[in-house]
Amino acid sequence: MSTPTTPVPEAPFTIGTPEFVADPQAHYAWLRENAPLARTRLEYGPVSQPIWVFSRYRDCRAMLTDPRLPRSPAGGSAMTTGLPEHLRLLSIESVIMKDDPEHKRLRSLVSRPFTPRMTAKLGERVRDLAVARLDALAGQDVVDLRQEFALPIPYTVIAEMVGVDEADRPRFQSGVTALLSDRSAEGWDLQIRDLVAFTRDLVARKHDDPGDDILTGLIHAEEDGDRLSEDEVVAMVFTLVIAGYETTYNLITNAVVTLLDHPEQRTRLQQAPDDDALWRSAIEEIVRYSGPVGGTKPATAAEDIDWDGRTIPAGSSVLPLLGSANRDPDAFDAPDRFDITRSPNHHLGFGYGPHFCLGANLARLEARIAVQTLLARHPHVSLAIPRDELRLEPMPLWTRYDTLPVLLG
């Protein structure tokens, strides 16, 4: 059989540039129409790397379950040599970067503490936190809803999930802030090292004095005599922070912006405060239409791959553009229309397959309860600035507003 020779086109733009971030959907539409598999570059600050991207729904979904495109290619363990501990825990040891069978083992163990009872408790706590935050904001003229409402709720939930005492919250928050910031930022390395040390100490304390929290559950999670190692527990805490905190506060923020942009859909939700099915459907549509995550961690081609007559060379970094897949007209009827009753809605906003987002259900729960509470308390909430003055943070493949100034009304 001859090797496919059809060349893979190069996109006439770089992912992550200001021009791309300003209007990613226009670039996604061009890719779907002209180069559903394309070569381009991914730019983040001073770093720029070559990347192969899929933009159509069917290709993105197929890629996410293709064993030829692992997160950690064969020989990845050699990368641990000489790697500082904090970077190893953030990369090599993270479940996000594992492949089966190790990935399946870790997912199975980490799912055990998330019982229906624990999930119900989290829902009650989210509602209490949302009410408390709105109480604290009462009487203020202009509120940055992202910083003062969307962000504190998931941060507090994560801190309580891992059993961080009130006295330790400032140190934990400093580490979490660094974990989610640019690695080139001054002091980042020292802050992450401190977060690792803090987490190891917290794990040791939970061994001696178990609590009613997820971290204790992770320490004691067992299947057929297998348990998580200390390194795996620490790495899992980092994963929970990234999956259950960063995604969630941006989802809450984006949900508010999207509903303010579509007042008829917002009114429909407000007229049905107890319609649980409608609210759940609305959150799914928000994830599809304006979800914060536009791509996954890159995979690496483990071999030369023939994809519809085109060759992806072994060793290539490959990325599914989830934000593009979720607007593919071949997968969704009128994909640019925001419809809280959309059904079916098989979006890829939380990924697909083995690496489906660990924090998806928590993000859904927190976003739904936070927005429900906000709209019930402040039914006339509105932007405090013109819509075109809202700014997205310059992060490739993320939809993150830097602020969300509102009048609570």
Side-chain angles (χ1 to χ4, degrees):
M1 181 181 295
S2 61
T3 302
T5 57
T6 306
V8 175
E10 185 164 356
F13 50 80
T14 296
I15 294 174
T17 61
E19 295 77 16
F20 180 90
V21 173
D23 192 2
Q25 290 301 333
H27 294 87
Y28 291 154
W30 186 93
L31 285 171
R32 290 193 304 267
E33 183 67 26
N34 299 284
L37 171 59
R39 293 176 296 121
T40 182
R41 298 191 70 82
L42 179 64
E43 181 177 293
Y44 184 34
V47 178
S48 177
Q49 69 176 87
I51 196 87
W52 297 60
V53 295
F54 289 111
S55 54
R56 289 181 180 170
Y57 181 93
R58 67 177 181 88
D59 291 321
C60 289
R61 182 163 162 156
M63 176 203 157
L64 290 169
T65 57
D66 195 317
R68 299 172 299 175
L69 290 162
R71 292 285 177 90
S72 181
S77 59
M79 296 169 61
T80 61
T81 304
L83 198 64
E85 176 194 41
H86 61 297
L87 295 180
R88 175 174 59 81
L89 293 170
L90 280 171
S91 54
I92 305 300
E93 298 298 335
S94 171
V95 66
I96 296 173
M97 298 306 297
K98 298 285 188 181
D99 298 298
D100 288 340
E102 185 65 5
H103 176 266
K104 184 176 182 180
R105 167 186 166 265
L106 291 174
R107 291 279 299 220
S108 178
L109 286 167
V110 78
S111 67
R112 294 191 168 273
F114 288 90
T115 62
R117 173 176 167 272
M118 180 62 75
T119 302
K121 284 179 61 179
L122 288 173
E124 294 167 7
R125 184 61 178 137
V126 171
R127 197 173 303 279
D128 290 344
L129 289 169
V131 169
R133 288 308 308 155
L134 293 175
D135 286 345
L137 298 174
Q140 296 187 31
D141 292 332
V142 178
V143 170
D144 180 356
L145 208 67
R146 178 183 186 266
Q147 188 69 28
E148 299 183 70
F149 180 72
L151 196 151
I153 293 172
Y155 165 73
T156 304
V157 169
I158 288 295
E160 292 178 353
M161 280 174 62
V162 297
V164 180
D165 295 334
E166 285 286 348
D168 291 326
R169 296 281 173 86
R171 183 181 175 189
F172 182 67
Q173 184 165 18
S174 176
V176 167
T177 301
L179 185 64
L180 304 178
S181 66
D182 184 352
R183 294 188 180 191
S184 64
E186 184 177 357
W188 182 89
D189 197 74
L190 287 176
Q191 287 178 298
I192 299 303
R193 288 177 188 271
D194 184 69
L195 180 61
V196 171
F198 172 80
T199 306
R200 287 199 185 281
D201 180 62
L202 186 61
V203 170
R205 280 185 276 157
K206 293 295 178 182
H207 268 295
D208 297 334
D209 184 19
D212 186 19
D213 51 63
I214 295 294
L215 180 55
T216 298
L218 289 175
I219 293 168
H220 296 286
E222 183 175 342
E223 183 173 3
D224 297 330
D226 185 24
R227 287 189 174 184
L228 296 169
S229 69
E230 182 180 311
D231 275 2
E232 288 170 341
V233 172
V234 174
M236 195 61 69
V237 170
F238 293 168
T239 300
L240 289 174
V241 168
I242 294 169
Y245 171 59
E246 186 176 31
T247 300
T248 303
Y249 79 78
N250 287 295
L251 178 58
I252 294 170
T253 303
N254 294 6
V256 174
V257 173
T258 304
L259 290 173
L260 292 179
D261 283 343
H262 298 86
E264 73 292 345
Q265 302 282 297
R266 168 187 167 185
T267 298
R268 189 168 183 177
L269 275 177
Q270 288 175 302
Q271 291 174 344
D274 300 320
D275 190 338
D276 191 60
L278 181 63
W279 276 91
R280 290 175 185 273
S281 175
I283 294 300
E284 295 304 317
E285 178 67 346
I286 289 164
V287 174
R288 182 197 72 85
Y289 185 85
S290 56
V293 182
T296 68
K297 293 288 186 183
T300 302
E303 59 188 68
D304 286 351
I305 299 173
D306 174 6
W307 200 283
D308 289 343
R310 290 177 166 84
T311 299
I312 303 173
S316 300
S317 291
V318 188
L319 189 71
L321 298 175
L322 306 183
S324 175
N326 287 337
R327 296 288 191 98
D328 187 345
D330 289 338
F332 300 96
D333 180 46
D336 293 324
R337 183 182 70 225
F338 177 67
D339 179 6
I340 62 173
T341 65
R342 182 179 295 275
S343 180
N345 192 352
H346 304 302
H347 64 77
L348 301 180
F350 291 117
Y352 183 74
H355 285 282
F356 185 81
C357 178
L358 275 169
N361 286 335
L362 181 58
R364 288 166 167 142
L365 175 76
E366 292 186 72
R368 175 169 52 84
I369 293 175
V371 177
Q372 278 180 320
T373 306
L374 172 68
L375 293 184
R377 180 81 164 264
H378 297 287
H380 303 296
V381 62
S382 61
L383 287 177
I385 60 175
R387 176 63 174 86
D388 61 7
E389 291 184 13
L390 286 182
R391 293 288 178 262
L392 292 171
E393 293 184 344
M395 296 186 67
L397 304 178
W398 278 86
T399 301
R400 293 172 44 155
Y401 293 92
D402 56 3
T403 62
L404 180 54
V406 300
L407 301 169
L408 291 176

